[in-house]
């Protein structure tokens, strides 16, 4: 099983910790979006050579399981993760990631029910659009352990 963890938070922050805890002792590859250049949707620079979206997409295509994580920033997903999701639109055909499983870690100090609802909606919609099986969202250490048991 090829597991890819895409971390949309700080490299060694709580989101990263929770994502690694969900995966447990299984082998995985981690992409920290904070260290990865993924330009905004539609943004093109003269060189364009340092945009790493294609590298991230190649890793996603190779994975059997995706674990995506985001802290709650400004009442929603981090900009880094949101930007990555935006970039899928167009280059990735609908349904082309079928057979993959997606797990989501979404954590913050005190997210409201609405914040959690919209984070869950975004990730389940993302999974559905590209044909992935959405396995659910974990927002606490207890939920991470429960969701990780399904991995």
């Amino acid at each position: 099983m090829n597991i890819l963890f895409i971390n949309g938070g700080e490299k060694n922050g709580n989101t990263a910790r929770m994502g690694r805890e969900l995966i447990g002792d299984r082998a995985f590859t981690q992409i920290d979006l904070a260290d990865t250049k993924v330009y905004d949707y539609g943004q093109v620079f003269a060189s364009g050579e340092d945009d790493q979206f294609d590298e991230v997409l190649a890793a996603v295509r190779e994975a059997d399981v995706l674990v995506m994580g985001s802290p709650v920033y400004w009442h929603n997903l981090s900009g880094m993760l949101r930007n990555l999701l935006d970039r899928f639109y167009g280059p990735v055909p609908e349904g082309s990631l079928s057979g993959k499983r997606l797990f989501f870690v979404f954590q913050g100090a005190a997210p409201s029910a609405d914040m959690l609802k919209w984070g869950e909606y975004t990730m389940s919609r993302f999974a559905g659009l590209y044909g992935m099986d959405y396995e659910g969202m974990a927002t606490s250490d207890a939920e991470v352990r429960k969701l990780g048991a399904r991995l």
Side-chain angles (χ1 to χ4, degrees):
M1 175 170 38
N2 186 348
I3 301 171
L4 175 63
F5 173 38
I6 298 177
N7 175 27
E10 295 178 38
K11 188 173 186 173
N12 293 307
N14 285 329
T15 301
R17 178 189 57 76
M18 290 172 71
R20 289 189 297 264
E21 185 177 329
L22 187 143
I23 294 165
D25 60 1
R26 297 166 187 87
F28 69 98
T29 301
Q30 181 169 330
I31 294 176
D32 293 297
L33 294 177
D35 294 337
T36 308
K37 280 192 177 179
V38 176
Y39 293 139
D40 290 339
Y41 185 82
Q43 190 175 38
V44 179
F45 289 99
S47 71
E49 297 169 7
D50 59 347
D51 181 22
Q52 295 175 280
F53 174 72
D54 288 339
E55 295 171 36
V56 174
L57 181 56
V60 167
R61 286 187 168 137
E62 288 182 25
D64 303 308
V65 173
L66 296 176
V67 175
M68 296 181 122
S70 176
V72 177
Y73 285 164
W74 284 100
H75 318 291
N76 210 319
L77 305 177
S78 72
M80 292 179 288
L81 185 58
R82 170 74 65 188
N83 184 55
L84 179 66
L85 301 183
D86 287 349
R87 286 290 301 276
F88 272 69
Y89 190 74
V92 182
E94 289 185 25
S96 67
L97 301 177
S98 64
K100 298 181 186 309
R101 298 167 64 207
L102 175 63
F103 295 79
F104 180 47
V105 173
F106 194 40
Q107 64 80 37
S112 71
D114 284 339
M115 291 177 210
L116 297 177
K117 177 178 82 171
W118 287 111
E120 178 93 15
Y121 172 79
T122 297
M123 295 310 290
S124 65
R125 177 74 178 111
F126 174 75
L129 183 64
Y130 296 107
M132 293 181 278
D133 295 322
Y134 184 61
E135 298 289 341
M137 174 177 77
T139 64
S140 68
D141 289 340
E143 290 176 2
V144 161
R145 287 187 290 277
K146 185 176 179 182
L147 192 59
R150 295 178 34 201
L151 188 65

